[in-house]
Amino acid sequence: MQSSEPSGQRPYDVLVIGGGIIGLVTAWRAAQRGLRTALADPEPGRGAAGVAAGMLAAVTELHHGEQTLLALNLASARRFPDFVAELQEVSGQDTGYRACGTLAVALDADDRAHLRELHTLQRQSGLESEWLTGRECRRLEPMLAPGVRGGLRVDGDHQVDPRRLAAALVTACGRAGVVVHRAAAERLSVVRDRAAGALLADGSELVADQVVLAAGSLSGRLAGVPPEVLPPVRPVKGQVLRLTVPPSYAPFLSRTVRAVVRGGEVYLVPRENGELVLGATSEELGWDTTVTAGGVYELLRDAHELVPGITELPLTETRAGLRPCSPDNAPLLGPTALPGLLLATGHHRNGVLLTPVTGDVMADVLTTGELPGPARPFTPRRFAPVPPPVRQERQELSA
Ligand code: GLY
């Protein structure tokens, strides 16, 4: 990976602030379009993707009122096979993509009613899912608890390993000529009412025609960004556990298994290498990333009700990450009201799923200035402050 200043201090075409999977895919795709691209991050490839389970759950994580987001999620899910094939070819690294499908199950009457509701919404949205009895669920996944009351089989919701995805993107960026500055951006530079680069923590000053703020939940905190364009993202904590399925226990689970237990989401994502990811809490606790006894207890308790055999498995890792959440749970993509400043943040629960489409959309807007059709609803301008009524109108009204 390159790490030097551009020759002759020529400005970059694009500076991406943030080296999580969203920043990396943006930089990679921009560089592939021939843009001279730099990326600033002290540890590219880390961030929320280092914690996330990597479910590509467009259908099983559908919520009422999120039909517009569904269209973007599905567009990205469709791109995944080609995206990982290209990334694996370019980087020479495996991403752990697994077309394994998902089974969402119910443990009691309330869960069952919730799943029935989800099934109705899925059908109304034209999505494929099949209602199964408890017995049919256990036939598919024999490790499920005998008390499972029914479930939804969704063969199109797959998984990828976000850590491997991030590592492959770091390599792909290097191979595409992205210049990586291993330092945090401290301040956005604004020159004549236009974003013009950034000052980094190592003292370097990068100059760029366009700046993409893709710093996950930190995106709302960058100094120098005018308050009216600062992205309204907040951190939502997720605690995630990793267990290991010894070879003698395999096959333990053959697909992602998930449920809503006592109102809390729990999911188990089995990797081909024996890792079993168990997630996740959803906590509004600001910047706190402590792994708590309560969080671990609740995840294990709920997962144990679902798949009792998990208590036999070695617990190998406990982590907490921060999802970048916007006021409508959807991402912010594209130009802001400050010329030269674009956003790629706020992906909340869908950051991994939305990686391919985000890369394509951001490369389009960086090269043409226009957000492509499917991404237009996600313009950051939807959160622009409403201007006060003009004085003249008030005078007319009182006349
Ligand atoms: N999409 C899974 C999660 O955010 O926990």
Side-chain angles (χ1 to χ4, degrees), residues 52-57 61 238-240 258 265 267 279-282 323 348-351:
M55 289 182 300
L56 308 175
E61 286 202 7
Q239 299 190 50
V240 175
R258 55 186 303 153
E265 299 256 4
Y267 46 79
T281 64
S282 189
R323 306 175 183 92
H348 192 209
R349 300 181 69 96
N350 297 306

Side-chain angles (χ1 to χ4, degrees), residues 344-371:
T345 187
H347 292 66
H348 192 209
R349 300 181 69 96
N350 297 306
V352 181
L353 171 62
L354 288 173
T355 298
V357 79
T358 299
D360 293 345
V361 160
M362 294 309 294
D364 280 353
V365 71
L366 286 165
T367 46
T368 68
E370 293 287 325
L371 264 180

Side-chain angles (χ1 to χ4, degrees), residues 41-384:
D41 193 294
E43 289 183 288
R46 301 295 287 265
V51 180
M55 289 182 300
L56 308 175
V59 179
T60 40
E61 286 202 7
L62 178 64
H63 290 99
H64 280 285
E66 292 187 357
Q67 254 71 9
T68 313
L69 178 59
L70 172 66
L72 194 71
N73 285 345
L74 290 173
S76 207
R78 278 192 296 272
R79 286 169 208 222
F80 240 96
D82 288 346
F83 173 77
V84 292
E86 182 186 353
L87 185 56
Q88 288 178 184
E89 175 154 348
V90 165
S91 66
Q93 291 165 239
D94 183 29
T95 61
Y97 176 69
R98 194 173 170 199
C100 58
T102 295
L103 183 64
V105 301
L107 284 167
D108 63 22
D110 285 351
D111 303 343
R112 204 164 176 275
H114 169 89
L115 264 197
R116 283 281 188 200
E117 183 79 9
L118 176 61
H119 192 211
T120 303
L121 182 61
Q122 288 167 339
R123 280 186 311 188
Q124 284 166 350
S125 309
L127 301 172
E128 277 183 34
S129 71
E130 183 190 358
W131 182 264
L132 301 183
T133 63
R135 185 179 296 219
E136 287 168 331
C137 290
R138 281 189 302 281
R139 206 173 296 137
L140 277 184
E141 295 296 340
M143 296 305 285
L144 282 174
V148 163
R149 306 274 289 261
L152 282 177
R153 176 179 176 163
V154 178
D155 285 343
D157 276 2
H158 303 312
Q159 61 151 303
V160 71
D161 183 336
R163 292 177 180 174
R164 293 195 200 177
L165 180 70
L169 281 168
V170 169
T171 303
C173 279
R175 297 205 169 144
V178 174
V179 180
V180 175
H181 294 262
R182 290 182 173 265
E186 287 207 323
R187 166 171 286 276
L188 181 76
S189 314
V190 179
V191 179
R192 286 189 288 279
D193 292 330
R194 187 181 167 92
L199 173 67
L200 307 192
D202 64 3
S204 50
E205 263 193 276
L206 305 184
V207 179
D209 291 340
Q210 301 187 81
V211 179
V212 179
L213 183 47
S217 54
L218 292 167
S219 301
R221 292 185 123 191
L222 183 65
V225 179
E228 63 277 13
V229 294
L230 207 56
V233 287
R234 65 179 198 285
V236 176
K237 176 178 170 182
Q239 299 190 50
V240 175
L241 317 181
R242 281 174 164 78
L243 302 99
T244 303
V245 179
S248 55
Y249 282 50
F252 190 79
L253 294 175
S254 64
R255 73 201 70 218
T256 296
V257 169
R258 55 186 303 153
V260 177
V261 183
R262 286 179 282 272
E265 299 256 4
V266 62
Y267 46 79
L268 289 151
V269 183
R271 306 244 194 268
E272 254 157 14
N273 64 5
E275 184 176 81
L276 181 66
V277 187
L278 198 180
T281 64
S282 189
E283 302 165 78
E284 301 267 1
L285 290 173
W287 302 98
D288 173 59
T289 52
T290 315
V291 175
T292 62
V296 173
Y297 164 72
E298 284 172 20
L299 287 171
L300 287 173
R301 179 196 62 196
D302 295 350
H304 176 253
E305 284 189 31
L306 204 59
V307 180
I310 58 147
T311 49
E312 306 287 321
L313 305 179
L315 174 63
T316 41
E317 195 182 307
T318 58
R319 289 276 296 274
L322 299 173
R323 306 175 183 92
C325 185
S326 76
D328 61 7
N329 294 335
L332 297 108
L333 302 173
T336 66
L338 178 69
L341 179 67
L342 298 90
L343 302 182
T345 187
H347 292 66
H348 192 209
R349 300 181 69 96
N350 297 306
V352 181
L353 171 62
L354 288 173
T355 298
V357 79
T358 299
D360 293 345
V361 160
M362 294 309 294
D364 280 353
V365 71
L366 286 165
T367 46
T368 68
E370 293 287 325
L371 264 180
R376 287 197 193 130
F378 305 99
T379 170
R381 293 171 195 229
R382 70 191 189 277
F383 297 121

